[in-house]
Amino acid sequence: MDEGTERLDALTQQAGRWLALAAAPAERHTTAVVAGPYDRMAWRDVYAQSGALRELSAQLLTRHAHAPDLLGDVFLCAYQAAPRLRERAVMAPSHLVHHQVVTALTQSPDFAALHRDTAGDAYAAAMAVLAQASALRGLLERSREARERTGRADRARQEAEAAATAVGEALRQAAEEADGQGDVPAPAAAAVRRAVEAARDAEESARLEDGAAARAMAAAVPGIRSAARNAASAAAEAVRQEAALMRAWGVDPGETERMPFEERARLAERLRSGRLARWAELIGRFRRMAAGERARKVENATGELVGVTLGDDLSRVIPSELAVLGVPELRAVFAARYAAGELMLYDSRGEQGTGKGAVIACVDTSHSMYAEGPGGVTREAWSKACALALLDQARHAGRDFVGILFSASDKLQVFRFPGGRPAPVTDVLDFAETFLGGGTDFQRPLGTAAKILEEEFDSASRARGDIVLITDDACEVSENWTRLWNGIKRRLDFRLFGIAIATPGTATASGSVLESLCDNLRTVDDLTDVHTTADLFRVI
């Protein structure tokens, strides 16, 4: 070996560590949640469809260069059935804040409740991300120092890997210049030593930056956990409220899952805004009450239950009387009371059985229906909630439902919901939102309802429909109209139920138009009490 040369094997030994690092650099991930191609596709699709998500991403990008990766991780936490996080060691330092955020989210008390509503539902998971927007903005602001430190650590680590690659390149050049005995010229050997020294310095710098980043992360963790808890709580509440709105309006989960993202978002916004949002609780109460009344119907009973009476009909004995038979000493008493006809029985009022024809709700939308009652509930809200519960009732029985909105004689709108197919939610909302204004006329809406039942009878031979007139006013009807009305009513055998809302008394007074027209008339004085019409849902 000449004095101006060095052995190639010695240089290779000096560069060995850096060669190994250059050959197999540490794996660094920019996503904290482990996800397959289908989950990633779900995120890309929902991101492409949602303008709100893209807008949020653009806003966060002003604070954090990797905001889209963070939003993707938050989405996947909510969307996946069993989200699994990567080990911190395989994360790119620049994305360690993301890892801490999603870790805190999945460990927060409200995450389980949130996850029940969002797992497998891309729209709900996206909504959960949007609901956390404010918390995420604050979180990124409070973790600024930790993000800056981890960013420096990431750059230092990349520089160390680049320096390791430079060592390999210098050694390759030295190998090319080596002679047959493995001696390397001094300049090439010096280049290898300089590359090794630079790699050593870069590695030390990366180590120091990693330590600083770890300390910054440790300081940021309590704030991240607190913000994540708030974010999960806000998301769970938003998703829960939307689900409650959908249920209140009778929106089937299967129907929303089939909707395109933007259409579902528009529907949710429509339900959250304006009058519909204020009515949701009342509508939900009506629907639950109607469902309960359906469940309480007594099979094979002679009519509607109205109280308790005495007698010997064992098919109508109340449960407490039957319980006596379980006490041997009291069986003789039961037998004596039975013989005397003194058992307590359910009393029933004779009602015609459930109709077979359409259920038609004639809803007054005159100006007075805007009047606000107790709890801010308007007469319009109460009447529409009752009508939508009747829609449920009709669908449960496989009957057609028709909603007729009326006011003055020249203002009327008809909404048809055939019993044989699902009711489009947009049509239901159109029915609920439409308000005509003006005066009050009974003849046209009732005549339209009778004509619909007549058409149904002629085409499908279905009689015994039910008409429910919901109004807060009274009006006159002509003698000729009354004669025609009574004639078609006898022929088609339908019933007219009347609900007078918050009327002073003239509309429902003895001999009033409503009393003379209706087979069954009830008055509603308290607009917050849905149970005032409970029996209506047992006989329709």
Side-chain angles (χ1 to χ4, degrees):
M1 181 176 67
D2 296 334
E3 292 184 2
T5 63
E6 290 190 36
R7 296 294 298 176
L8 180 61
D9 53 356
L11 292 173
T12 301
Q13 185 175 3
Q14 293 177 37
R17 178 184 175 189
W18 315 111
L19 293 177
L21 181 60
E27 186 178 18
R28 295 199 310 263
H29 290 279
T30 57
T31 56
V33 181
V34 178
Y38 291 108
D39 290 339
R40 295 289 173 194
M41 185 182 301
W43 165 240
R44 289 194 297 270
D45 287 347
V46 78
Y47 186 84
Q49 294 175 44
S50 173
L53 278 177
R54 295 193 299 275
E55 181 180 351
L56 174 60
S57 179
Q59 292 172 358
L60 296 183
L61 275 171
T62 62
R63 293 176 169 84
H64 183 29
H66 306 298
D69 293 333
L70 174 59
L71 294 183
D73 278 333
V74 174
F75 169 85
L76 290 170
C77 275
Y79 178 71
Q80 289 183 331
R84 183 166 59 90
L85 304 187
R86 301 185 192 280
E87 295 295 328
R88 286 176 54 87
V90 301
M91 292 293 298
S94 58
H95 288 65
L96 284 174
V97 169
H98 297 190
H99 191 281
Q100 185 59 52
V101 168
V102 294
T103 298
L105 277 174
T106 55
Q107 293 176 351
S108 62
D110 290 302
F111 179 76
L114 169 67
H115 193 246
R116 281 195 296 272
D117 290 323
T118 59
D121 187 338
Y123 171 85
M127 181 187 167
V129 175
L130 293 172
Q132 297 176 73
S134 177
L136 290 174
R137 291 189 192 97
L139 188 150
L140 290 176
E141 195 62 39
R142 286 189 291 273
S143 63
R144 181 189 297 273
E145 182 179 354
R147 289 186 291 107
E148 290 176 352
R149 282 292 185 182
T150 55
R152 292 176 191 171
D154 197 26
R155 290 189 293 273
R157 183 58 55 191
Q158 293 177 25
E159 290 171 1
E161 291 176 0
T165 302
V167 170
E169 180 60 26
L171 189 62
R172 184 190 62 79
Q173 186 65 34
E176 290 181 354
E177 296 183 22
D179 59 20
Q181 285 73 40
D183 295 330
V184 178
V192 172
R193 287 195 299 273
R194 286 194 300 273
V196 169
E197 187 64 26
R200 185 179 294 112
D201 291 343
E203 177 67 15
E204 177 62 17
S205 177
R207 188 185 64 78
L208 293 175
E209 290 293 351
D210 284 344
R215 290 190 293 273
M217 277 295 301
V221 163
I224 290 175
R225 286 176 178 165
S226 175
R229 283 196 298 270
N230 293 337
S233 177
E237 180 62 22
V239 172
R240 183 164 50 246
Q241 286 181 359
E242 181 164 313
L245 270 177
M246 294 291 183
R247 285 193 300 271
W249 284 95
V251 181
D252 183 74
E255 183 179 357
T256 55
E257 288 176 8
R258 292 189 296 271
M259 286 182 182
F261 183 91
E262 286 298 337
E263 182 181 344
R264 185 170 172 183
R266 286 193 298 270
L267 171 62
E269 180 59 29
R270 187 176 179 185
L271 293 178
R272 282 194 296 266
S273 61
R275 294 180 298 159
L276 298 184
R278 297 196 300 273
W279 297 355
E281 181 183 357
L282 182 66
I283 290 169
R285 288 168 57 201
F286 254 104
R287 284 190 146 127
R288 290 191 297 272
M289 182 268 293
E293 294 303 322
R294 285 196 298 271
R296 287 176 55 192
K297 281 188 176 181
V298 179
E299 298 296 332
N300 303 317
T302 58
E304 173 195 357
L305 299 180
V306 294
V308 175
T309 187
L310 299 179
D312 59 1
D313 186 349
L314 295 179
S315 68
R316 294 191 290 131
V317 174
I318 68 173
S320 60
E321 289 279 33
L322 294 175
V324 170
L325 294 175
V327 182
E329 294 82 0
L330 296 179
R331 289 173 184 170
V333 176
F334 181 91
R337 294 182 62 192
Y338 171 64
E342 296 179 351
L343 294 176
M344 287 191 291
L345 314 175
Y346 283 122
D347 193 13
S348 61
R349 179 172 62 201
E351 287 276 6
Q352 184 180 7
T354 302
K356 300 299 181 184
V359 176
I360 303 179
C362 297
V363 182
D364 187 351
T365 60
S366 59
H367 282 314
S368 59
M369 294 293 283
Y370 255 139
E372 193 169 283
V377 179
T378 63
R379 300 174 184 180
E380 180 201 13
W382 198 97
S383 63
K384 296 286 182 61
C386 183
L388 291 176
L390 288 170
L391 168 59
D392 283 355
Q393 192 83 349
R395 301 202 66 77
H396 181 79
R399 301 167 67 184
D400 292 350
F401 176 82
V402 181
I404 299 178
L405 305 180
F406 71 92
S407 56
S409 59
D410 61 338
K411 293 184 177 181
L412 182 140
Q413 195 162 343
V414 178
F415 295 81
R416 293 175 181 263
F417 300 92
R421 59 177 181 265
V425 64
T426 51
D427 292 352
V428 174
L429 296 182
D430 288 342
F431 169 64
E433 286 185 310
T434 300
F435 190 87
L436 302 177
T440 304
D441 173 77
F442 291 165
Q443 292 185 181
R444 189 176 177 201
L446 290 178
T448 301
K451 185 176 180 181
I452 290 171
L453 291 178
E454 185 175 33
E455 292 171 353
E456 183 182 44
F457 178 78
D458 292 340
S459 63
S461 299
R462 285 200 299 267
R464 292 175 55 201
D466 291 311
I467 302 173
V468 182
L469 175 63
I470 309 174
T471 182
D472 70 338
D473 206 349
C475 71
E476 295 300 320
V477 294
S478 70
E479 183 178 342
N480 183 57
W481 182 89
T482 302
R483 186 167 53 253
L484 294 173
W485 168 261
N486 289 333
I488 194 171
K489 189 170 183 294
R490 283 192 299 271
R491 185 167 74 87
L492 301 179
D493 193 24
F494 62 77
R495 298 176 294 181
L496 174 60
F497 297 86
I499 301 178
I501 302 176
T503 49
T506 56
T508 56
S510 178
S512 68
V513 171
L514 275 176
E515 185 187 52
S516 63
L517 288 176
C518 297
D519 302 295
N520 187 317
L521 177 62
R522 47 185 49 73
T523 302
V524 177
D525 296 317
D526 183 358
L527 297 183
T528 63
D529 183 10
V530 300
H531 297 285
T532 53
T533 56
D535 61 330
L536 180 67
F537 296 95
R538 288 202 299 273
V539 296
I540 288 183

